[in-house]
Short mmCIF file of all heavy atoms in Angstrom, two decimals:
data_model
loop_
_atom_site.label_atom_id
_atom_site.label_comp_id
_atom_site.label_asym_id
_atom_site.label_seq_id
_atom_site.Cartn_x
_atom_site.Cartn_y
_atom_site.Cartn_z
N ARG A 111 78.87 43.15 6.78
CA ARG A 111 78.81 44.27 5.74
C ARG A 111 77.57 45.03 6.19
O ARG A 111 76.57 44.47 6.66
CB ARG A 111 78.67 43.65 4.36
CG ARG A 111 79.86 42.82 3.98
CD ARG A 111 79.44 41.75 2.91
NE ARG A 111 79.03 42.42 1.80
CZ ARG A 111 78.32 41.66 0.75
NH1 ARG A 111 77.88 40.36 1.09
NH2 ARG A 111 77.87 42.26 -0.14
N TYR A 112 77.68 46.33 5.90
CA TYR A 112 76.59 47.18 6.41
C TYR A 112 76.27 48.31 5.31
O TYR A 112 77.18 48.62 4.62
CB TYR A 112 76.79 47.75 7.72
CG TYR A 112 77.91 48.81 7.84
CD1 TYR A 112 77.60 50.15 7.61
CD2 TYR A 112 79.21 48.42 8.07
CE1 TYR A 112 78.63 51.08 7.68
CE2 TYR A 112 80.23 49.40 8.11
CZ TYR A 112 79.92 50.82 7.91
OH TYR A 112 80.90 51.64 7.97
N VAL A 113 75.11 48.89 5.49
CA VAL A 113 74.78 50.05 4.67
C VAL A 113 73.75 50.78 5.59
O VAL A 113 72.82 50.35 6.17
CB VAL A 113 74.25 49.84 3.30
CG1 VAL A 113 72.99 48.88 3.32
CG2 VAL A 113 73.95 51.11 2.61
N SER A 114 73.86 52.16 5.57
CA SER A 114 72.98 53.06 6.46
C SER A 114 72.42 54.11 5.51
O SER A 114 73.11 54.75 4.82
CB SER A 114 73.77 53.60 7.61
OG SER A 114 73.05 54.38 8.44
N THR A 115 71.09 54.26 5.61
CA THR A 115 70.48 55.26 4.80
C THR A 115 69.46 55.96 5.66
O THR A 115 69.00 55.50 6.74
CB THR A 115 69.67 54.71 3.57
OG1 THR A 115 68.53 54.12 4.00
CG2 THR A 115 70.59 53.70 2.92
N HIS A 116 68.90 57.07 5.23
CA HIS A 116 67.95 57.83 5.92
C HIS A 116 66.94 58.35 4.87
O HIS A 116 67.18 59.39 4.28
CB HIS A 116 68.58 58.97 6.68
CG HIS A 116 67.56 59.76 7.40
ND1 HIS A 116 67.83 60.99 8.15
CD2 HIS A 116 66.20 59.74 7.63
CE1 HIS A 116 66.90 61.57 8.80
NE2 HIS A 116 65.79 60.73 8.45
N PRO A 117 65.68 57.72 4.71
CA PRO A 117 64.70 58.35 4.00
C PRO A 117 64.18 59.63 4.69
O PRO A 117 63.64 59.47 5.76
CB PRO A 117 63.65 57.27 3.90
CG PRO A 117 64.32 56.07 4.38
CD PRO A 117 65.41 56.44 5.27
N MET A 118 64.42 60.76 4.09
CA MET A 118 64.10 62.03 4.78
C MET A 118 62.49 62.48 4.67
O MET A 118 62.16 63.49 4.32
CB MET A 118 64.87 63.13 4.26
CG MET A 118 66.40 62.99 4.31
SD MET A 118 66.98 63.31 6.07
CE MET A 118 66.93 65.07 6.20
N PHE A 119 61.66 61.39 4.96
CA PHE A 119 60.35 61.61 4.98
C PHE A 119 59.68 60.58 5.86
O PHE A 119 60.36 59.58 6.33
CB PHE A 119 59.77 61.34 3.59
CG PHE A 119 59.91 59.98 2.91
CD1 PHE A 119 59.00 58.97 3.20
CD2 PHE A 119 61.01 59.66 2.25
CE1 PHE A 119 59.23 57.67 2.69
CE2 PHE A 119 61.24 58.43 1.74
CZ PHE A 119 60.40 57.48 1.95
N GLY A 120 58.48 60.78 6.23
CA GLY A 120 57.83 59.80 7.12
C GLY A 120 56.24 59.74 6.74
O GLY A 120 55.78 60.67 6.04
N PRO A 121 55.66 58.89 7.23
CA PRO A 121 54.06 58.68 6.96
C PRO A 121 53.28 59.82 7.53
O PRO A 121 52.25 60.10 7.04
CB PRO A 121 53.75 57.34 7.60
CG PRO A 121 55.03 56.54 7.71
CD PRO A 121 56.05 57.62 7.99
N THR A 122 53.82 60.53 8.37
CA THR A 122 53.09 61.62 9.00
C THR A 122 52.72 62.80 8.09
O THR A 122 51.65 63.25 7.97
CB THR A 122 53.76 62.23 10.27
OG1 THR A 122 54.08 61.16 11.27
CG2 THR A 122 52.91 63.36 10.94
N PHE A 123 53.82 63.08 7.30
CA PHE A 123 53.53 64.40 6.37
C PHE A 123 53.63 63.98 4.97
O PHE A 123 53.09 64.63 4.19
CB PHE A 123 54.57 65.48 6.76
CG PHE A 123 54.49 65.99 8.21
CD1 PHE A 123 55.38 65.91 9.08
CD2 PHE A 123 53.22 66.57 8.50
CE1 PHE A 123 55.31 66.47 10.42
CE2 PHE A 123 53.15 67.18 9.83
CZ PHE A 123 54.11 67.20 10.82
N ALA A 124 54.46 63.00 4.58
CA ALA A 124 54.84 62.74 3.21
C ALA A 124 53.62 62.11 2.57
O ALA A 124 52.92 61.23 3.26
CB ALA A 124 56.07 61.88 3.11
N SER A 125 53.40 62.23 1.21
CA SER A 125 52.56 61.48 0.51
C SER A 125 53.30 60.33 -0.11
O SER A 125 54.17 60.59 -1.01
CB SER A 125 51.85 62.28 -0.64
OG SER A 125 51.27 61.48 -1.58
N LEU A 126 53.11 59.13 0.45
CA LEU A 126 54.03 57.95 0.11
C LEU A 126 53.68 57.49 -1.36
O LEU A 126 54.46 56.68 -1.94
CB LEU A 126 53.68 56.90 1.03
CG LEU A 126 54.09 57.05 2.48
CD1 LEU A 126 53.83 55.86 3.37
CD2 LEU A 126 55.52 57.64 2.54
N SER A 127 52.62 58.03 -1.99
CA SER A 127 52.34 57.68 -3.38
C SER A 127 53.15 58.60 -4.34
O SER A 127 53.12 58.41 -5.54
CB SER A 127 50.93 57.72 -3.69
OG SER A 127 50.32 58.98 -3.45
N ASN A 128 53.63 59.70 -3.87
CA ASN A 128 54.33 60.70 -4.63
C ASN A 128 55.41 61.30 -3.87
O ASN A 128 55.26 62.25 -3.12
CB ASN A 128 53.33 61.81 -5.10
CG ASN A 128 54.05 62.72 -5.96
OD1 ASN A 128 55.24 62.58 -6.44
ND2 ASN A 128 53.46 63.95 -6.19
N LEU A 129 56.71 60.78 -4.02
CA LEU A 129 57.77 61.17 -3.25
C LEU A 129 58.82 61.96 -3.93
O LEU A 129 60.00 62.23 -3.59
CB LEU A 129 58.48 59.91 -2.61
CG LEU A 129 57.58 59.14 -1.61
CD1 LEU A 129 58.17 57.84 -1.14
CD2 LEU A 129 57.29 59.95 -0.40
N SER A 130 58.44 62.49 -5.18
CA SER A 130 59.39 63.13 -6.03
C SER A 130 59.93 64.36 -5.44
O SER A 130 61.10 64.91 -5.88
CB SER A 130 58.80 63.43 -7.42
OG SER A 130 57.61 64.26 -7.30
N ASN A 131 59.34 64.98 -4.45
CA ASN A 131 59.93 66.18 -3.81
C ASN A 131 60.60 65.86 -2.53
O ASN A 131 60.99 66.80 -1.80
CB ASN A 131 58.73 67.23 -3.59
CG ASN A 131 58.10 67.82 -4.87
OD1 ASN A 131 58.89 67.99 -5.70
ND2 ASN A 131 56.92 67.96 -4.88
#
Side-chain angles (χ1 to χ4, degrees):
R111 297 153 63 199
Y112 70 88
V113 58
S114 183
T115 74
H116 180 187
M118 298 284 284
F119 61 88
T122 301
F123 295 118
S125 171
L126 299 183
S127 61
N128 181 16
L129 297 171
S130 59
N131 292 322

